[in-house]
Amino acid sequence: MDVALKIWRFDPETGERALKHYNVEAPEWACLLDVLDIVKDQVDGTLGFRKSCRMMICGSCGMRMDGRAILACKERMKPIVERGHVPVISAMGNMPVLKDLVVDMTPFWTKIRRMKPWLDTGYEEIPEREFRHTQEEMNPIHKESLCIMCGCCVSECNSMESDPEFFGPAALAKGFRFVGDPRERAQVERLESYNDEHGIWDCTRCYFCNERCPKGVDPRDAIAKLGAESIKEGIDRDLGAKHAKWFVHSAKTTGWLRETELVPKTQGVVSAIKQTKFAISLAKHGKVPPPVPPHVADRVQEARGLHELVHSQGRAGAAGIVQGEKALSRIEHPSDGDGA
Amino acid sequence: MRVAYYKGCLASLSAKELDTSTQALAPKLGIELDELEAVTCCGAGDIHEAEPDYYLHLNARILAYAEATGANTLMTICNVCTLNLRQANFQLQNDDALRERVSDNLETVGAPRYSGGVEVKHLLWLIADGDGYERLKEVAHKGLKGLRVAPFYGCQILRPSKLLGFEDPDRPWSLEAIIEACGGEPIDYPAKIKCCGFPIIQAREEVALGELIQPIEQSIEAGADVMVTPCPLCHLSLDAWQQKLEASTGKRYQMPILHLSQLIGVAAGLEESELQFKRHVVPVTPVLEKVEAP
Ligand code: SF4
Ligand code: SF4
Ligand code: SF4
Ligand code: SF4
Ligand code: FES
């Protein structure tokens, strides 16, 4: 088949950026990576891109197609050619471009290392026998263990665009891979360290990471698991954690979010006073309802009863998310298999 | 069509204008609203992150009350409610043991059990194609006089598409179709599918404003008269936090922000008592003047 594509080239020596058009003949089964190989072989040997396994396992070939981070070895070209579409290929986002489609992953690896990506089993000497674990005990980190560290999730992370120091989806998913491991003994220390200013609560829940991850890791869900584990362990000093706890409190007392109290409960009284001018402007437009009488939902005692009941059933923390993963994995992803 | 209507907490309190305009508009579009009274907040992303098992139960309770109305659609008017309820619903529909446990708990506290018979749909989806779209074209008889409208989708109506799945999350079209049907001109800009920063606007204000600035500045640059959003949380940050953005950049934006049902409401000739523009922080007057101009 005849494949057309455009590639954003970048030459680090001249600093020149240019969108170049390519047309090559490729076999019907070709994926984007095959096509790039053909371009490099037959048209321009200076084209820069990373690759290794060609089978979605080494994580080298992350790049963007029409603005979406993808693995070049996962995208089939045939459906795209059949649509008559000419895709634009460029380097991933949120990382500096070194050459053409190659980005500098140094910040990525620094953040992964920051998570201490090794088990802390709490013993010095190697025990005589191996430890045995059931599949059930390993289930909580099943998805996080699938990460191939390709960087696709980081490419479009909206919080990282705004705060480049944000640990980001890949590193935090790695963090949960250890927090949730039944052999790990330093969970609390880890959670303390992940509750950094640029950690768990810096995520804006844009869900680009879940959308992009080619391996089904769902990093945003891993971050929610870390948040739930932190709160379960009483690590709630972050404004984000206080904010989250206030929602729980509202739901079980009035049923509805008590917005007037959200700012003082989240930020504390002193900073709430600093917010007064802003609050008055909101109040003028009815954006902040008067505190009394509180708006109470019908039959709110049911919500309160559920809270007590749920607490007695031992699924606090990440377990509350893990229990739903099997069911969610049964939904077909709409873009699965169509290569688009 | 009759739907169970879950308005969520913002439309019950600080974004009442979203509820009044939706209540006025829905019957004209052939949507009969059966409003749920005994329901609570869906918990936003917050209860899901703080106490996920409780999040599941609160959402199951909302679904159970929706099912008890006999309707098979639960209609939402908030992105975050849509994702929360759909996520809980898929978990309950695809795992019998989990649904039984949650239903037993619901029954214990006196709420109805849930059998999995409800689909959760945002108002946007009910009117972006099919019968709803045909009706919309008739209802929007006043038109918008070519008003230049920037659609802002927000995150949780698009992503994760595995749970939402109505349209291509990278090239959505539903808001554009509605703007056109109302006689407006949709404006394109890259940040229309990105985050407005709302979830962290209190805990990380600077990071959030770094996100909020993108849709505001890009839509102004693209020549928009007004922005429209299907989510009251996006509305709150775009409209109410715009002044903080102005304070931090020293620029003046004054970009009016409409809820989806207000934009259609203008084209359908709803009254100010239903649209309640006085509740907005950024004045909507310039938009109305343009539409009312002879
Ligand atoms: S999966 Fe292992 S063997 Fe295969 S390419 Fe990657 S590192 Fe090499
Ligand atoms: S979480 Fe997914 S997208 Fe992110 S680095 Fe790992 S495999 Fe890649
Ligand atoms: S959900 Fe959070 S971690 Fe994932 S891409 Fe968005 S901001 Fe980044
Ligand atoms: S998502 Fe927000 S507006 Fe919708 S019910 Fe939950 S807290 Fe209320
Ligand atoms: S080449 Fe290894 S993941 Fe694509």
Side-chain angles (χ1 to χ4, degrees):
Chain A
M1 64 189 170
D2 191 16
V3 184
L5 74 176
K6 295 179 196 162
I7 304 176
W8 272 107
R9 303 290 305 264
F10 172 71
D11 181 343
E13 267 146 43
T14 62
E16 203 182 306
R17 234 173 95 74
L19 186 63
K20 294 267 172 69
H21 199 124
Y22 299 91
N23 259 306
V24 292
E25 184 56 33
E28 298 243 313
W29 43 259
C31 61
L32 174 59
L33 185 56
D34 297 316
V35 173
L36 294 176
D37 275 339
I38 296 172
V39 171
K40 195 176 170 82
D41 273 358
Q42 301 176 3
V43 187
D44 185 349
T46 69
L47 178 65
F49 55 94
R50 286 199 182 102
K51 62 165 184 178
S52 177
C53 70
R54 315 168 63 87
M55 49 191 285
M56 299 177 274
I57 198 68
C58 73
S60 306
C61 65
M63 58 185 70
R64 275 175 167 169
M65 181 190 264
D66 296 324
R68 295 177 298 126
I70 45 102
L71 292 179
C73 65
K74 192 182 177 189
E75 297 297 308
R76 295 275 146 211
M77 294 308 287
K78 193 168 176 231
I80 299 171
V81 170
E82 279 170 355
R83 270 200 343 256
H85 180 60
V86 181
V88 175
I89 313 302
S90 57
M92 285 193 289
N94 277 332
M95 286 168 275
V97 182
L98 293 174
K99 181 181 193 307
D100 299 334
L101 305 174
V102 179
V103 293
D104 179 3
M105 303 256 309
T106 312
F108 180 92
W109 299 118
T110 307
K111 287 168 183 171
I112 296 277
R113 257 178 242 118
R114 163 79 177 70
M115 308 310 288
K116 298 204 175 145
W118 54 82
L119 272 178
D120 186 342
T121 50
Y123 54 79
E124 302 275 309
E125 279 177 34
I126 312 280
E128 251 173 61
R129 287 167 171 276
E130 70 276 21
F131 291 107
R132 304 188 72 167
H133 286 285
T134 60
Q135 181 61 48
E136 207 177 12
E137 285 174 303
M138 296 306 282
N139 280 346
I141 56 167
H142 172 75
K143 287 166 75 180
E144 291 76 10
S145 309
L146 299 173
C147 174
I148 59 171
M149 302 204 267
C150 61
C152 288
C153 54
V154 164
S155 172
E156 269 104 72
C157 172
N158 279 201
S159 277
M160 205 184 285
E161 239 178 60
S162 184
D163 172 15
E165 285 181 61
F166 173 43
F167 295 178
L172 287 166
K174 188 61 69 198
F176 186 74
R177 184 252 166 274
F178 290 97
V179 166
D181 192 305
R183 299 162 293 183
E184 172 70 22
R185 288 295 167 269
Q187 277 93 349
V188 174
E189 290 90 322
R190 283 187 190 275
L191 290 170
E192 286 287 353
S193 134
Y194 305 164
N195 268 262
D196 181 277
E197 186 196 341
H198 305 289
I200 302 173
W201 306 100
D202 204 11
C203 163
T204 192
R205 304 181 189 145
C206 71
Y207 281 90
F208 267 108
C209 52
N210 284 24
E211 189 65 39
R212 296 296 186 245
C213 175
K215 302 299 283 189
V217 173
D218 289 339
R220 167 58 220 161
D221 298 13
I223 298 170
K225 290 178 191 171
L226 286 173
E229 287 295 304
S230 300
I231 286 175
K232 181 178 150 197
E233 297 296 342
I235 305 168
D236 57 7
R237 59 177 182 273
D238 196 284
L239 295 182
K242 291 196 180 10
H243 191 264
K245 283 181 69 174
W246 183 249
F247 271 78
V248 176
H249 185 74
S250 285
K252 67 178 193 217
T253 49
T254 58
W256 295 108
L257 181 60
R258 287 149 66 176
E259 291 156 282
T260 22
E261 294 168 36
L262 193 55
V263 174
K265 290 293 171 190
T266 305
Q267 305 195 346
V269 176
V270 177
S271 33
I273 290 170
K274 280 198 239 150
Q275 299 269 0
T276 307
K277 210 180 118 206
F278 178 58
I280 289 173
S281 124
L282 295 192
K284 257 193 352 214
H285 299 282
K287 289 288 155 203
V288 186
V292 274
H295 175 97
V296 179
D298 286 357
R299 305 173 69 101
V300 72
Q301 73 283 358
E302 292 176 9
R304 212 168 300 149
L306 279 175
H307 192 255
E308 277 167 32
L309 204 52
V310 157
H311 269 240
S312 68
Q313 293 176 345
R315 300 208 191 183
I321 294 174
V322 173
Q323 67 180 345
E325 287 180 343
K326 198 173 64 181
L328 294 182
S329 72
R330 294 192 180 126
I331 309 168
E332 290 273 303
H333 197 292
S335 73
D336 273 355
D338 68 0
Chain B
M1 106 198 260
R2 195 168 67 85
V3 300
Y5 171 45
Y6 176 67
K7 63 184 175 188
C9 21
L10 252 71
S12 328
L13 297 165
S14 73
K16 283 203 181 88
E17 70 280 6
L18 170 59
D19 179 44
T20 54
S21 51
T22 305
Q23 301 255 18
L25 187 67
K28 295 183 194 287
L29 292 166
I31 304 170
E32 188 195 326
L33 302 179
D34 195 338
E35 188 177 338
L36 300 178
E37 302 285 353
V39 288
T40 62
C41 173
C42 72
D46 285 82
I47 299 182
H48 179 252
E49 183 149 11
E51 298 188 11
D53 196 24
Y54 188 42
Y55 143 81
L56 180 64
H57 282 78
L58 284 179
N59 283 269
R61 185 172 168 274
I62 300 167
L63 292 162
Y65 275 108
E67 192 173 56
T69 67
N72 40 34
T73 300
L74 170 57
M75 187 186 95
T76 53
I77 48 172
C78 165
N79 287 6
V80 181
C81 301
T82 310
L83 174 58
N84 267 331
L85 285 159
R86 286 179 69 86
Q87 175 170 267
N89 202 23
F90 284 130
Q91 292 180 358
L92 298 165
Q93 286 174 332
N94 293 328
D95 186 333
D96 298 345
L98 186 62
R99 190 177 61 251
E100 282 306 301
R101 169 183 166 245
V102 171
S103 278
D104 288 348
N105 286 341
L106 290 176
E107 197 168 25
T108 306
V109 300
R113 299 181 69 86
Y114 181 54
S115 77
V118 168
E119 283 308 317
V120 180
K121 291 182 183 163
H122 192 291
L123 167 68
L124 172 67
W125 301 347
L126 295 180
I127 55 180
D129 64 6
D131 280 354
Y133 191 68
E134 292 310 312
R135 286 220 181 213
L136 173 67
K137 287 194 276 189
E138 288 161 30
V139 167
H141 61 93
K142 257 187 78 186
L144 292 172
K145 298 247 177 62
L147 191 73
R148 295 167 62 85
V149 186
F152 183 77
Y153 285 87
C155 304
Q156 298 184 21
I157 191 96
L158 298 173
R159 292 178 300 274
S161 59
K162 180 175 171 174
L163 301 181
L164 296 151
F166 179 77
E167 55 196 323
D168 179 341
D170 294 298
R171 306 205 199 313
W173 51 267
S174 59
L175 281 173
E176 282 84 347
I178 290 171
I179 294 166
E180 274 174 4
C182 290
E185 182 194 336
I187 298 298
D188 198 21
Y189 62 106
K192 71 181 179 186
I193 60 167
K194 290 173 77 172
C195 185
C196 69
F198 188 81
I200 51 170
I201 214 152
Q202 292 203 33
R204 299 286 188 281
E205 188 171 288
E206 273 178 35
V207 183
L209 290 181
E211 294 167 22
L212 179 59
I213 192 169
Q214 301 182 29
I216 297 279
E217 291 204 335
Q218 288 178 14
S219 60
I220 290 174
E221 210 163 292
D225 298 315
V226 62
M227 292 174 80
V228 65
T229 172
C231 177
L233 301 169
C234 300
H235 187 274
L236 196 55
S237 56
L238 293 167
D239 179 51
W241 261 262
Q242 211 180 110
Q243 53 186 315
K244 287 215 170 187
L245 200 59
E246 291 185 337
S248 71
T249 60
K251 295 186 195 162
R252 212 172 143 69
Y253 302 118
Q254 294 297 300
M255 171 57 77
I257 317 291
L258 301 190
H259 296 285
L260 176 61
S261 40
Q262 286 176 324
L263 181 85
I264 304 167
V266 172
L270 294 189
E271 305 291 325
E272 163 63 24
S273 61
E274 296 159 328
L275 298 167
Q276 302 213 38
F277 287 129
K278 62 174 190 304
R279 299 177 53 89
H280 289 217
V281 175
V282 178
V284 180
T285 342
V287 178
L288 301 176
E289 281 167 2
K290 194 163 172 184
V291 176
E292 299 299 339

